[in-house]
Amino acid sequence: MRIALWFAAACTVVAAICDAMVRFNARNRTFNDINSVPHKKVGLLLGTSPFTSDGEHNYYYTYRIDAAENLIKAGKIDYIIVSGDNSTEDYDEPTWMRDSLMARGVPEERIVLDFAGFRTLDSIVRAKEVFGQDSFMIISQRFHNERALYLADHYGIEAVGFNAQDVTIWHKWMKIHAREYMARVKLMIDLVVGKQPHFLGEKVEIK
């Protein structure tokens, strides 16, 4: 029991340190106000599904689409890379995001599809190595943007984050944010071991 308690305490401390590092690194680099965020040629919209695992509407998805739509219509970005998971034929985050944006009047020629954004690390690295962008705007909820900015810094990318609205339903908020603490620990482990994207591939030019 004593060993288990020490182990739990150590894990809590490690998670708190990783969380503090990510938060501190992102200070003054995520924006809620569309008028304050600096212009970037490309926005990187980080993927998620329109539906939760239990089939409910995913408001994280809707709010990210809202943010991307508003940014491009305000002239804050010129192109949107929609980066997400397309690991199976029936699961296609990039196409869902593209279709949602086009339904809101975003021109198709302004949307670039990245079908291999399986994880945030993949999306960030591929934006640089495949799509040729070493400076861009990351679009997601604030907690996700903070972690993505840490990755961007590690890979020599000049990035800012625009914060989509967060979800205020309590049990959904708690679930996602509890998972985020573990994701920040995993982030540090990935960087230490030199984790690489699943795929890179041929370069894609964004004119």
Side-chain angles (χ1 to χ4, degrees):
M1 177 65 73
R2 188 179 297 117
I3 292 172
L5 289 172
W6 276 108
F7 180 76
C11 289
T12 301
V13 170
V14 168
I17 290 171
C18 292
D19 177 62
M21 290 172 65
V22 170
R23 286 177 183 271
F24 183 79
N25 181 72
R27 68 197 186 285
N28 302 322
R29 296 168 58 203
T30 67
F31 297 83
N32 299 309
D33 181 6
I34 202 166
N35 296 310
S36 300
V37 66
H39 171 270
K40 295 284 185 180
K41 176 182 176 181
V42 170
L44 176 65
L45 178 58
L46 298 177
T48 189
S49 168
F51 303 100
T52 65
S53 58
D54 52 7
E56 296 182 3
H57 181 80
N58 184 3
Y59 287 97
Y60 288 101
Y61 176 92
T62 301
Y63 295 151
R64 291 183 201 182
I65 296 296
D66 290 343
E69 175 197 4
N70 292 335
L71 286 163
I72 203 160
K73 289 183 176 179
K76 290 295 185 173
I77 52 176
D78 304 320
Y79 296 90
I80 304 171
I81 299 174
V82 291
S83 181
D85 186 349
N86 179 216
S87 54
T88 68
E89 200 171 301
D90 298 328
Y91 192 87
D92 190 349
E93 291 176 355
T95 298
W96 294 331
M97 291 190 290
R98 179 202 63 190
D99 292 349
S100 293
L101 288 167
M102 289 177 61
R104 296 168 178 234
V106 177
E108 185 174 8
E109 61 270 20
R110 296 291 178 179
I111 305 170
V112 180
L113 297 170
D114 175 17
F115 292 104
F118 303 116
R119 301 173 52 200
T120 306
L121 183 148
D122 297 67
S123 297
I124 294 294
V125 176
R126 284 175 56 81
K128 179 178 181 179
E129 299 298 334
V130 174
F131 297 95
Q133 305 302 308
D134 55 14
S135 177
F136 51 81
M137 184 187 303
I138 304 167
I139 306 164
S140 189
Q141 277 71 29
R142 180 171 183 166
F143 66 86
H144 198 185
N145 283 338
E146 289 175 343
R147 176 159 47 91
L149 284 170
Y150 200 96
L151 281 163
D153 287 353
H154 181 81
Y155 288 100
I157 298 166
E158 182 184 332
V160 296
F162 184 77
N163 301 325
Q165 182 179 336
D166 207 342
V167 173
T168 55
I169 300 171
W170 178 246
H171 70 280
K172 295 183 182 295
W173 186 94
M174 280 294 296
K175 179 181 178 180
I176 290 293
H177 284 262
R179 186 185 300 165
E180 179 64 20
Y181 275 101
M182 296 302 100
R184 294 183 178 195
V185 175
K186 182 68 164 57
L187 160 69
M188 299 303 176
I189 295 171
D190 286 346
L191 296 183
V192 168
V193 302
K195 184 76 173 180
Q196 297 298 310
H198 288 76
F199 304 109
L200 287 176
E202 296 182 8
K203 293 188 180 298
V204 177
E205 182 181 1
I206 300 178
K207 298 180 179 179

